[in-house]
């Protein structure tokens, strides 16, 4: 389905980003990986995806907190694999604290990575998509792009902003073969959420299993984590012809969180 297409997935060395890279590779897209981690492990991921799915895969270590490096990543994908047909803005970080104690440096880093990243990559990638008359932009927002929780000022502000940016890009690109949507997951058990499970276990004196159940019970009616593969499946669907007219949407995978 995506043979001959180039997909750039930011923050794809771990968690949801890696699952989306795998889901798009499984449909035949060549993949530009990005993110931090151990050099040897990243090379094993890159070579493994290329080998398993018979596609081209490259890696670039650009830091998504820098606008310059975001644009540079789009250029690197073009140089190594070709113009970017599918752009998945996924790299993200979290920090939790009450606003009066929220470190200013964490606020700025979260806004840069979780929001401004997408402005810079989309700005760099859209002209190539317009030229081809086809493109898919998938922004990984969050349930926190739709509703708020305490102690997440920067994350909630960034993700709400990302949903807004998604809608603007969808309108500007409408009728030009380019769609732009936001995926809004609830709890997905990745290293990012494991840190919140660990914190809860320590603060409340719970076992890991109890802390996970406690976290889910508070917000996610299904009481089950969504899986990275399910998010990857939705990203792949958004790149299929069935999704040609789906644009400007905030698509939840949240076990009913936002239905409450
Ligand atoms: P993760 O920590 O497993 O993965 C984050 C990825 O981003 C990693 O590859 C990391 O190396 C990369 N990254 C971090 N900072 C970067 C930077 N400055 N430049 C380049 N890469 C960077 O987290 P995850 O849970 O897979 O999160 C992925 C996205 O999904 C994030 O945007 C997150 O906000 C969103 N999300 C996650 C959940 C969840 O429950 N896990 C829910 C909703 C939304």
């Amino acid at each position: 389905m995506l043979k001959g297409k180039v997909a750039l997935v930011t923050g794809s060395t771990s968690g949801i980003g890696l699952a989306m890279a795998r889901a798009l590779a499984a449909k035949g897209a060549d993949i530009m990986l990005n993110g931090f981690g151990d050099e040897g492990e990243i090379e094993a991921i890159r070579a493994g995806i290329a080998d398993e799915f018979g596609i081209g895969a490259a890696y670039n270590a650009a830091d998504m907190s820098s606008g310059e490096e975001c644009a540079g990543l789009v250029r690197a994908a073009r140089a190594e694999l070709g113009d970017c047909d599918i752009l998945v803005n996924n790299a993200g970080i979290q920090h939790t604290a009450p606003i009066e104690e929220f470190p200013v440096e964490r606020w700025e880093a979260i806004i840069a990575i979780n929001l401004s990243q997408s402005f810079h990559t989309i700005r760099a990638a859209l002209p190539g998509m317009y030229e081809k008359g086809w493109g898919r932009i998938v922004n990984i927002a969050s349930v926190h792009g739709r509703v708020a929780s305490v102690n997440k000022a920067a994350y909630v502000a960034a993700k709400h902003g990302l949903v807004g940016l998604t809608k603007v890009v969808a309108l500007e690109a409408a009728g030009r073969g380019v769609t732009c949507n936001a995926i809004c997951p609830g709890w997905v058990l990745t290293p990012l959420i494991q840190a919140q499970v660990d914190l809860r276990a320590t603060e409340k004196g719970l076992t890991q299993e109890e802390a996970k159940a406690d976290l889910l019970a508070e917000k996610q009616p299904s009481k089950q984590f969504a899986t990275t593969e399910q998010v990857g499946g939705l990203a792949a669907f958004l790149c299929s012809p069935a999704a040609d007219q789906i644009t400007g949407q905030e698509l939840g995978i949240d076990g009913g969180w936002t239905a409450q």
Side-chain angles (χ1 to χ4, degrees):
M1 179 180 94
L2 298 177
K3 194 120 201 89
K5 306 276 191 218
V6 173
L8 163 54
V9 185
T10 71
S12 42
T13 53
S14 165
I16 292 172
L18 177 54
M20 284 188 299
R22 289 181 56 79
L24 296 172
K27 300 285 182 198
D30 295 328
I31 305 291
M32 172 58 91
L33 296 165
N34 159 259
F36 299 148
D38 175 80
E39 213 175 296
E41 281 173 24
I42 292 173
E43 174 49 23
I45 289 172
R46 189 205 62 76
I49 288 185
D51 186 48
E52 182 176 348
F53 300 110
I55 50 102
Y59 164 74
N60 186 286
D63 181 348
M64 296 296 97
S65 68
S66 149
E68 270 297 305
E69 293 196 30
C70 289
L73 177 60
V74 173
R75 285 195 300 273
R78 182 180 302 137
E80 293 204 42
L81 299 168
D83 256 327
C84 179
D85 303 287
I86 299 165
L87 170 63
V88 183
N89 287 306
N90 166 79
I93 58 169
Q94 174 64 288
H95 184 84
T96 58
I99 193 160
E100 68 276 19
E101 292 164 19
F102 212 93
V104 172
E105 167 277 321
R106 285 290 85 196
W107 166 273
E108 280 166 2
I110 289 174
I111 297 297
I113 298 169
N114 294 15
L115 174 58
S116 301
Q117 167 200 173
S118 299
F119 164 74
H120 293 293
T121 56
I122 292 169
R123 186 171 179 275
L126 251 184
M129 294 179 179
Y130 283 158
E131 240 169 68
K132 290 188 188 178
W134 196 93
R136 292 286 179 272
I137 300 169
V138 180
N139 296 323
I140 306 308
S142 166
V143 73
H144 286 117
R146 313 174 82 188
V147 295
S149 293
V150 294
N151 297 339
K152 295 186 175 173
Y155 191 86
V156 169
K159 295 296 190 181
H160 273 69
L162 184 55
V163 169
L165 175 66
T166 300
K167 293 176 184 175
V168 173
V169 174
L171 292 178
E172 290 184 11
R176 302 181 73 169
V178 178
T179 67
C180 181
N181 290 289
I183 296 181
C184 298
W187 298 127
V188 185
L189 193 56
T190 65
L192 186 134
I193 295 305
Q194 186 60 48
Q196 292 179 51
V197 172
D198 294 344
L199 183 69
R200 192 168 284 243
T202 310
E203 279 178 0
K204 294 190 169 180
L206 302 173
T207 64
Q208 278 286 316
E209 285 320 303
E210 287 167 348
K212 285 176 191 165
D214 193 55
L215 189 82
L216 288 166
E218 196 175 280
K219 301 276 189 181
Q220 197 145 304
S222 67
K223 297 193 171 56
Q224 293 167 340
F225 287 102
T227 66
T228 58
E229 290 76 13
Q230 288 163 350
V231 184
L234 180 53
F237 170 73
L238 288 171
C239 295
S240 74
D244 275 358
Q245 293 302 318
I246 300 177
T247 195
Q249 301 303 304
E250 36 186 294
L251 302 156
I253 306 191
D254 65 10
W257 183 325
T258 50
Q260 296 170 100

